[in-house]
Amino acid sequence: GTPTIKRIGMKVVGRGSPREHCDLYTLDGKKVGWVSSGTHCPYLGKAVAMALLDAKHAKEGTELEVEVRGRRIGAKIVPLPFYKRG
């Protein structure tokens, strides 16, 4: 069968830094995945994260919310890797 969990990259639209194990939600509040790693990214000036996500929500450009310390911040799925070499 097709994989149901997909690894995605996302950049945080709001303020805050998602960390490992933060839950991911659709904009209508459905839990669809979790953050596998997150960090602040100086060259983008934003926090970025990798997450494991229900594949049907893993389209590039999809907006999600990450729960960080009890509040939800906006994030958007972006292509991996986060930067181009060269």
Side-chain angles (χ1 to χ4, degrees), residues 3-4 13 15 17 20 22 37 45 48 53 55-56 62 64 67 69 84 86:
T4 54
V13 188
R15 293 175 60 82
S17 266
E20 229 177 311
C22 290
S37 64
V48 293
L53 186 65
K56 63 178 180 289
T62 299
L64 298 165
E67 189 154 298
R69 294 189 202 95
K84 307 263 191 289

Side-chain angles (χ1 to χ4, degrees), residues 1-81:
T2 54
T4 54
I5 298 283
K6 198 171 169 192
R7 191 173 71 125
I8 56 118
M10 59 185 195
K11 79 172 189 237
V12 173
V13 188
R15 293 175 60 82
S17 266
R19 295 284 178 235
E20 229 177 311
H21 309 307
C22 290
D23 288 332
L24 275 180
Y25 296 87
T26 58
L27 296 185
D28 59 7
K30 184 175 165 223
K31 186 176 162 184
V32 289
W34 67 94
V35 175
S36 55
S37 64
T39 185
H40 185 76
C41 185
Y43 55 83
L44 293 177
K46 286 273 174 206
V48 293
M50 283 195 294
L52 295 164
L53 186 65
D54 184 328
K56 63 178 180 289
H57 295 284
K59 274 205 308 293
E60 203 176 295
T62 299
E63 291 184 30
L64 298 165
E65 292 187 321
V66 193
E67 189 154 298
V68 180
R69 294 189 202 95
R71 67 190 180 94
R72 294 191 188 176
I73 55 178
K76 189 179 224 171
I77 298 179
V78 295
L80 287 169

